[in-house]
Amino acid sequence: MPRVNTPLTKLLNVDLPILSAPMAFAAEADLASAVTAASAFGFMGAGFTSSAQLKSYFQVVRQKLGIANGSPVPIGIGFIGWILEMTEPSDDPRIEAILEEKPVAIWFAFGLDLGKYIAQVRAFDAKRDHKTIIFVMVNSAEDALRAANEWKVDVIVAQGIEAGGHGGSEAPPLLSLLQAVKSAVPNGPLIVAAGGVSTGSQIAALLTMGADGVVLGTRFLFTTECIYDSQKKEAIVKADLSLKSTVRTLAFDEVGRTNGWPPKHDGRAISNDIIKDVEAGFSLDERMKKFDESTAAGDTSRLIVWAGAGVGLTNSITSAGVGDRVLCNLSKLTCTLQNVVHELSTDLIAALQRGASLL
């Protein structure tokens, strides 16, 4: 596979400036290792998972990638700030336990005081040779300046409003945000772009804008390695590109009892009866009751399925990084040998070649 060289590929020692997002409840060891094995870079999401379970995931990755105990593990792990506020003072703190596993990278997002966790990583690494690459996600140029100047992070993730899952409710569209962040920190940390990206051509466009790499989340939900169950995968396969296909709101978190997000944050998910309940004017108690009843009955009309604005650009489930058979397709089952990273890289290189031909 041809290399696409950027400062990020050099930093991470990979061939492709493509990263899978650290999606809690979606991306675990199998997905992260498959993406890395395919010459890109995989992240897994920590979520509420215990440190013991997370450490077991690292053992899985070591086995899959042939990494010896004690050697750095070429994946990243993402932590949510407001969850760390609960776990780090507890009898099961996560950060130091995970740093002992020597992940190549760690990603922080969604917290009012992420700086203290970044300082914790730096202090831990100061006592050893391995230095963890620190990513921080931002939704504004102001956030980027803080990450660069105050926290001295290695990589800034500029996440646009198109992103699935959670993010800043007032974030600009990705193309505008990326330009603003690059202008704010022209000589600062590396910058990667995230939000609504599903194709290699889109990756190429963002690289030509100056991104050092591109993060994809929703695209990797359409994989055998993603831990979404069959009902959630069916929902994303059926989704289209209409403006009402996905919705940004706190309504999903309200009924799901996961509303610990910082101010001016919300989440994008597949629109369904949860949104219809809001539009019908039901109170929060009524909406929670309807959600609980649907869940208990196995009714998928109120299933919470986090996904980005580009969800409608994909309609089949394949392997993330190994040739595999398509599991589901809107036009019935078909057999093909392909994987997401290969598809993205082929499209990316073709798009870059087309761009070069314009000169």
Side-chain angles (χ1 to χ4, degrees):
M1 178 182 298
R3 290 181 59 94
V4 177
N5 298 304
T6 75
L8 183 74
T9 60
K10 182 178 180 181
L11 178 67
L12 296 176
N13 192 30
V14 295
D15 292 341
L16 298 166
I18 297 171
L19 304 92
S20 61
M23 301 172 287
F25 315 114
E28 292 182 353
D30 286 349
L31 180 52
S33 57
V35 173
T36 290
S39 301
F41 192 84
F43 276 88
M44 59 183 179
F48 290 95
T49 308
S50 70
S51 58
Q53 186 65 54
L54 291 173
K55 289 172 85 69
S56 75
Y57 292 164
F58 276 94
Q59 288 305 307
V60 171
V61 175
R62 288 184 186 279
Q63 292 170 4
K64 287 181 175 292
L65 299 180
I67 306 298
N69 287 332
S71 297
V73 183
I75 67 162
I77 183 166
F79 287 100
I80 294 172
W82 66 266
I83 295 179
L84 289 174
E85 292 294 330
M86 294 185 284
T87 61
E88 297 317 281
S90 76
D91 58 2
D92 183 25
R94 309 301 201 261
I95 293 178
E96 288 201 6
I98 297 312
L99 291 175
E100 292 172 353
E101 296 296 325
K102 294 186 178 179
V104 164
I106 192 167
W107 170 315
F108 294 109
F110 312 129
L112 296 177
D113 188 14
L114 297 179
K116 64 184 179 184
Y117 303 121
I118 294 167
Q120 185 178 351
V121 175
R122 299 294 194 207
F124 190 94
D125 282 353
K127 304 172 186 177
R128 61 179 183 176
D129 292 334
H130 177 67
K131 306 305 178 188
T132 313
I133 299 168
I134 299 178
F135 287 64
V136 165
M137 192 162 73
V138 305
N139 299 114
S140 70
E142 291 76 17
D143 291 343
L145 284 167
R146 186 181 188 193
N149 298 331
E150 182 178 337
W151 299 336
K152 310 293 185 183
V153 304
D154 301 299
V155 182
I156 291 173
V157 182
Q159 185 207 44
I161 195 72
E162 304 94 330
H166 292 85
S169 59
E170 298 179 358
L174 177 56
L175 294 185
S176 298
L177 177 63
L178 177 59
Q179 188 64 63
V181 170
K182 282 188 60 60
S183 297
V185 287
N187 301 307
L190 302 187
I191 298 170
V192 300
V197 183
S198 293
T199 70
S201 295
Q202 291 172 320
I203 296 171
L206 292 163
L207 293 179
T208 60
M209 280 189 65
D212 297 295
V214 180
V215 180
L216 295 88
T218 299
R219 183 64 188 87
F220 285 103
L221 298 177
F222 290 83
T223 62
T224 55
E225 295 88 352
C226 168
I227 64 169
Y228 266 14
D229 61 28
S230 59
Q231 294 176 329
K232 290 185 177 182
K233 287 183 179 179
E234 181 180 1
I236 60 174
V237 166
K238 289 181 177 179
D240 58 33
L241 282 173
S242 67
L243 290 176
K244 294 185 178 181
S245 181
T246 63
V247 179
R248 288 196 74 102
T249 177
L250 284 174
F252 302 109
D253 290 292
E254 289 171 343
V255 297
R257 282 78 158 182
T258 54
N259 209 351
W261 305 97
K264 298 183 179 180
H265 282 71
D266 59 11
R268 183 184 295 277
I270 301 292
S271 182
N272 56 19
D273 283 358
I274 293 173
I275 300 305
K276 291 180 181 177
D277 291 341
V278 174
E279 294 172 343
F282 291 115
S283 69
L284 176 56
D285 286 343
E286 291 171 322
R287 289 188 282 122
M288 292 168 65
K289 180 181 179 182
K290 287 178 176 290
F291 174 78
D292 292 344
E293 291 172 347
S294 291
T295 301
D299 174 13
T300 61
S301 67
R302 292 183 175 85
L303 198 62
I304 298 175
V305 185
W306 305 111
V311 65
L313 290 173
T314 309
N315 62 12
S316 62
I317 307 295
T318 61
S319 172
V322 180
D324 201 358
R325 184 185 299 270
V326 173
L327 298 184
C328 57
N329 189 289
L330 289 177
S331 58
K332 304 297 184 180
L333 294 179
T334 58
C335 180
T336 181
L337 288 177
Q338 63 177 344
N339 65 69
V340 175
V341 174
H342 181 267
E343 174 189 313
L344 291 170
S345 62
T346 300
D347 189 18
L348 163 61
I349 291 167
L352 291 174
Q353 291 171 337
R354 287 194 301 271
S357 71
L358 298 175
L359 298 176

